[in-house]
Amino acid sequence: MPVELRRREVLVAGTLLAVAARFPALASVPTPLPAADQRRIDRLIAAMTLDEKIGQMVQVAGGRQVALNSRLDSAALDRVRAGRIGSFLHVAGAEPLRELQRVAVEESRHGIPLLFAMDVVHGYRTIFPVPLALAASFDPAVAEDAARVAAVEASVSGLHWTFAPMIDIARDARWGRVVEGAGEDPHLGATMAVAQVRGFEGRGTDLGEDAVLACVKHLGAYGAGMGGRDYDTADLSERTLREVYLQPFHAAARARAGTMMTAFNDLAGVPTTGNADLVRGILRDQWHYQGLVVSDWNAIRELIDHGAASTPAEAAALALRASVDMDMTSDTYAEYLAPAVAADPTLLPLVDEAVQRILTTKTKLGLFDDPYRFGDPERERTVLGSADHRARARRAAEQSIVLLRNEGGVLPLRPAQRVALIGALADDARSTIGSWKARGVPEDSVTLRAALGDVTYAPGVAPRGEDVSGIPAAIAAAEGADVVVLALGEDWDHSGEARSRADITLPGAQMTLLDALKATGKPIVAVLMNGRPLALESALADVPAVVETWFGGNEAGAAIAAVLRGEVNPGGRLPMGMPRTSGQVPQFYAHVPTGRPANPDLSVDSARYHDTDIGPLFPFGHGLSYTSFEYADLAITRIDGGARHRIGCSITNTGPVAGDEVVQLYVRVAVPGLARPARELRGFTRLTIAPGATRLVTFILRNHHFAHWADDQWRVPAGRVEVMIGASSADIRLTGALSVDREFNWPAYDGAGAALFTPVEIL
Ligand code: NOJ
């Protein structure tokens, strides 16, 4: 049974205890290894030479993302035999990895097993929607299930470790990597981070069945790169860093994510890979995180390009002092850490510490007991792309679609209507699987064209093409139809790593195509396919229906067609607001009020642009349904003597069909002396309601949810907290207030604010 359904049953059964049992209190203090395992690690470390220890800290590319295993040559095998490699990435396959592991275990002096890693991000062979789309489901069970399926497929193919989830907060849609994360909000981001870690690793204290290690990335403020440029500098206040960018990392650390990756970029001038204050200070010392930390690709050597180190030996020492345990591909540890240690013996205990963490990770994976326990060629043949996995990908794709606009009831399409399907993206199988495709293949994907079947189709223009010769045929198709379904957006290679764009409007000649179709007067349903929120105010003017479908994975087309036909009622929400114009970004709902708030009257001096309307085109949390919902009966009660608060309301489906509503709880905490965000998400839940039915939703907040960072600690002032419940960050339906009796504060170790889980009861 899908996780989603199981969760619903528990919630419907509805006691707080039942809910809490499914979300046990998080704790980051690692469970110690059994004594025998610890003794084995101690013995190994005592017996290893410095070069062998450093070997464990070296990760080598066994291939490339597009050509897995292609670098597993005899030189690589000789390095394994000499104990000079601890891990490979970009490798896969039960049989080749078994042989590679055999060389390590049988032909190296200590027989230490290797760790095999790959970017399995939103599926391994069965490809799910891209992570931004999974976040749009506003249902952590959907994200958890996607990670679960990916883990099952990856582990059966011999992999131990995935470089996912990416949990960087992203508030600038120009950044190409927004596609890989959960969007702009730290509470949604932390919730999705924990869900994916659990999906990859399992829910218990030990790694679960068919689990792979997660690697939350990219620690620091990678998503805050200046100007939305990838790899670029981030310069943030400590407050924003703690309250926003680090929140998903803190939540993931407390959910015992096995590993973390440091960001490429610098934070206020300190490159993250060598940032001892951040990695050793905050992550290790304050949060007590003991998992393995890996650098990003070549990032240790790039400390020289940043200017932070002048030699590779200095770069190696900087990264080690920051407590980066493993060097991804730069060979800086391999070649220069030994000379660095010779020059400065105080580095040696840090090497031992790193090796300790790496061997502990291998122990927790069970590799010392059975180095071949991952990878099963028999099961690999049946499990990858199984019907069950496809069905779960289909459901995830359906859940991630967001209905942005539906004027005049253009959607759902009616069976008698003649449909013209236009746009090359409607027939672009490659784009459905996004930029991190692991072992996914376009041939496995259902496109929108294939799913809609017998409709007139005209590609019009290629997503980035300037060739407009296909437009007349598209106009002819539109003229012969009752309604135009137009796929618009970006192809898969326009978002992702190093794919920032300065102008996030429609690329190529798509605007020309759109204008030509508008001129036919036929109603247009814009089906957006993209890896980032696009700036489409002028493009979408006079377009009555707009559906955001992202890159939906192998089942994208089938899911979109089901939504267009009304077989599935869409319930996704935007995890990142869509700007009106490119010049508006960065933009996010949790904005700090100014002394001169944006004013529609241009003669008033206020915080706005003169050439663009105020606010986003579609705000964070926005999404429509084929039905409608009414909110009522806000009730706020104190529990535990005012330490916690129950915030409940009723939601009624007032329309004709069953539908999903995403109920969103925002707070505003007034803090003397500070300007605080006008709204901060602190809870949400997606629930299905039958037509005419009413459900009661109750969130439970602790006073810790209202924290802000000040003077090196979390603080909650006494006083009033405004409470807002609504259907989006800009569609608040109910407002009230609660109060915190006494001011209190606590140190960084404990979670606070957005990172805290919010229990929800549904009756
Ligand atoms: C660089 C990317 O930044 C990171 O996210 C990825 O995991 C590594 N390359 C490995 O492919």
Side-chain angles (χ1 to χ4, degrees):
M1 192 191 302
V3 174
E4 156 73 6
L5 291 184
R6 284 203 313 266
R7 190 177 73 104
R8 287 269 149 74
E9 282 176 8
V10 172
L11 292 176
V12 173
T15 65
L16 175 57
L17 274 181
V19 179
R22 289 201 53 82
F23 296 94
L26 302 176
S28 65
V29 178
T31 39
L33 286 178
D37 287 334
Q38 189 54 54
R39 276 198 300 276
R40 175 169 48 205
I41 292 176
D42 294 342
R43 270 199 310 271
L44 272 172
I45 292 180
M48 287 161 88
T49 64
L50 177 61
D51 284 341
E52 285 167 339
K53 289 177 186 172
I54 293 172
Q56 287 302 307
M57 301 165 70
V58 171
Q59 185 178 59
V60 165
R64 289 177 302 126
Q65 202 209 325
V66 287
L68 302 167
N69 302 346
S70 58
R71 294 181 184 164
L72 294 177
D73 51 19
S74 60
L77 293 186
D78 283 344
R79 283 182 78 181
V80 172
R81 289 186 185 100
R84 302 299 169 89
I85 295 180
S87 172
F88 280 94
L89 83 158
H90 294 338
V91 289
E95 272 166 5
L97 294 187
R98 193 179 181 87
E99 173 54 17
L100 188 53
Q101 191 70 298
R102 191 198 62 73
V103 174
V105 172
E106 293 182 11
E107 299 181 22
S108 73
R109 191 164 83 100
H110 296 292
I112 300 175
L114 294 161
L115 275 182
F116 299 133
M118 185 176 170
D119 293 277
V120 180
V121 175
H122 52 108
Y124 179 74
R125 174 69 192 242
T126 308
I127 303 300
F128 278 68
V130 293
L132 189 63
L134 292 171
S137 72
F138 268 70
D139 188 343
V142 168
E144 180 173 341
D145 197 49
R148 187 86 289 277
V149 168
V152 169
E153 293 194 354
S155 62
V156 92
S157 291
L159 290 166
H160 310 128
W161 185 14
T162 176
F163 299 129
M166 186 189 101
I167 61 175
D168 301 313
I169 298 298
R171 294 179 158 185
D172 191 327
R174 292 172 297 182
W175 189 41
R177 300 197 78 168
V178 303
V179 63
E180 297 177 53
E184 71 177 60
D185 181 74
H187 182 65
L188 179 65
T191 308
M192 290 296 169
V194 170
Q196 289 175 88
V197 168
R198 287 178 171 160
F200 286 125
E201 298 190 348
R203 282 179 160 251
T205 45
D206 297 326
L207 284 173
E209 185 96 338
D210 291 330
V212 292
L213 278 176
C215 180
V216 294
K217 64 188 189 184
H218 307 81
L219 179 70
Y222 186 41
M226 209 166 263
R229 290 177 298 274
D230 209 358
Y231 317 122
D232 215 330
T233 184
D235 204 345
L236 296 173
S237 68
E238 171 90 6
R239 177 168 295 136
T240 303
L241 178 69
R242 296 275 188 168
E243 292 178 6
V244 178
Y245 288 88
L246 290 185
Q247 290 287 30
F249 291 95
H250 200 173
R254 292 173 71 77
R256 298 194 188 88
T259 74
M260 287 207 193
M261 188 188 297
T262 46
F264 276 127
N265 66 341
D266 76 85
L267 177 55
V270 186
T272 308
T273 310
N275 192 334
D277 286 345
L278 176 66
V279 190
R280 194 173 285 282
I282 295 181
L283 180 68
R284 302 273 192 217
D285 296 344
Q286 293 187 356
W287 298 354
H288 305 172
Y289 181 72
Q290 309 235 351
L292 187 168
V293 173
V294 63
S295 79
D296 204 340
W297 182 283
N298 202 43
I300 298 185
R301 191 66 63 103
E302 289 171 17
L303 288 170
I304 298 173
D305 301 276
H306 282 279
S310 49
T311 63
E314 269 178 43
L318 262 185
L320 182 65
R321 288 204 183 285
S323 103
V324 173
D325 302 318
M326 192 175 274
D327 174 356
M328 186 192 286
T329 71
S330 87
D331 271 351
T332 311
Y333 281 172
E335 294 170 19
Y336 297 95
L337 191 51
V341 171
D344 178 359
T346 64
L347 292 172
L348 189 56
L350 304 185
V351 169
D352 285 351
E353 242 181 46
V355 175
Q356 172 79 242
R357 284 191 283 262
I358 291 165
L359 297 183
T360 300
T361 303
K362 292 181 176 184
T363 303
K364 286 190 166 165
L365 284 165
L367 295 179
F368 283 104
D369 299 328
D370 177 4
Y372 309 109
R373 68 178 279 250
F374 289 67
D376 180 338
E378 282 296 305
R379 279 184 69 214
E380 198 180 21
R381 276 187 277 279
T382 55
V383 163
L384 303 194
S386 72
D388 172 48
H389 291 180
R390 292 286 302 218
R392 288 153 79 174
R394 164 79 182 263
R395 178 168 164 72
E398 291 172 357
Q399 298 288 102
S400 68
I401 292 173
V402 187
L403 179 62
L404 295 173
R405 184 188 289 166
N406 191 19
E407 288 164 4
V410 173
L411 287 175
L413 302 174
R414 280 151 303 270
Q417 281 178 310
R418 291 168 305 158
V419 173
L421 176 65
I422 295 171
L425 284 167
D427 199 27
D428 179 357
R430 176 62 190 86
S431 284
T432 62
I433 58 179
S435 60
W436 285 121
K437 62 180 178 49
R439 298 189 99 182
V441 290
E443 295 72 32
D444 282 352
S445 275
V446 181
T447 63
L448 180 56
R449 184 184 182 191
L452 282 183
D454 197 16
V455 295
T456 315
Y457 172 67
V461 299
R464 298 194 215 188
E466 298 296 344
D467 177 1
V468 293
S469 60
I471 292 185
I475 295 172
E479 278 167 349
D482 302 313
V483 59
V484 173
V485 172
L486 174 61
L488 290 171
E490 297 177 331
D491 65 50
W492 67 274
D493 203 25
H494 236 164
S495 55
E497 186 176 344
R499 298 293 186 277
S500 295
R501 294 179 66 208
D503 174 3
I504 51 171
T505 54
L506 292 173
Q510 292 186 71
M511 199 62 197
T512 312
L513 171 67
L514 178 52
D515 286 339
L517 293 171
K518 283 181 188 172
T520 67
K522 299 289 177 167
I524 295 174
V525 176
V527 175
L528 305 179
M529 299 180 181
N530 42 249
R532 60 156 64 77
L534 294 170
L536 299 179
E537 180 170 47
S538 58
L540 297 179
D542 307 319
V543 174
V546 184
V547 191
E548 176 58 78
T549 70
W550 322 101
F551 298 132
N554 288 149
E555 293 284 341
I560 301 166
V563 165
L564 296 180
R565 293 185 184 122
E567 294 153 9
V568 166
N569 190 352
R573 297 291 187 268
L574 288 181
M576 233 181 138
M578 282 177 65
R580 297 170 188 278
T581 65
S582 303
Q584 272 185 313
V585 299
Q587 183 194 59
F588 46 93
Y589 81 89
H591 179 249
V592 173
T594 73
R596 297 181 175 194
N599 193 311
D601 181 352
L602 279 174
S603 71
V604 175
D605 292 351
S606 76
R608 62 164 297 181
Y609 298 104
H610 265 235
D611 53 357
T612 306
D613 266 348
I614 299 165
L617 182 62
F618 299 111
F620 171 85
H622 172 72
L624 305 172
S625 166
Y626 294 146
T627 186
S628 51
F629 299 96
E630 226 171 70
Y631 288 60
D633 309 320
L634 178 67
I636 304 176
T637 46
R638 292 154 66 90
I639 43 181
D640 297 344
R644 295 191 299 152
H645 311 266
R646 295 171 61 91
I647 301 159
C649 69
S650 66
I651 317 284
T652 302
N653 180 345
T654 51
V657 290
D660 283 9
E661 178 67 336
V662 177
V663 183
Q664 301 163 44
L665 169 67
Y666 296 88
V667 298
R668 179 168 190 212
V669 189
V671 180
L674 296 182
R676 297 294 302 162
R679 230 154 254 188
E680 295 180 273
L681 187 73
R682 285 294 177 269
F684 63 91
T685 190
R686 178 170 176 161
L687 71 165
T688 305
I689 310 185
T694 296
R695 307 281 294 273
L696 303 177
V697 172
T698 303
F699 298 96
I700 289 116
L701 292 184
R702 296 195 275 148
N703 287 339
H704 295 73
H705 276 103
F706 313 133
H708 66 279
W709 183 260
D711 307 324
D712 289 332
Q713 60 190 338
W714 293 110
R715 283 177 174 279
V716 174
R720 186 180 146 90
V721 174
E722 279 174 52
V723 172
M724 294 155 270
I725 294 186
S728 89
S729 61
D731 182 8
I732 299 301
R733 308 282 184 88
L734 303 168
T735 55
L738 56 83
S739 65
V740 176
D741 296 340
R742 275 182 308 279
E743 175 188 327
F744 64 106
N745 47 42
W746 68 100
Y749 167 71
D750 269 328
L756 297 178
F757 169 68
T758 302
V760 188
E761 294 174 352
I762 301 172
L763 293 172

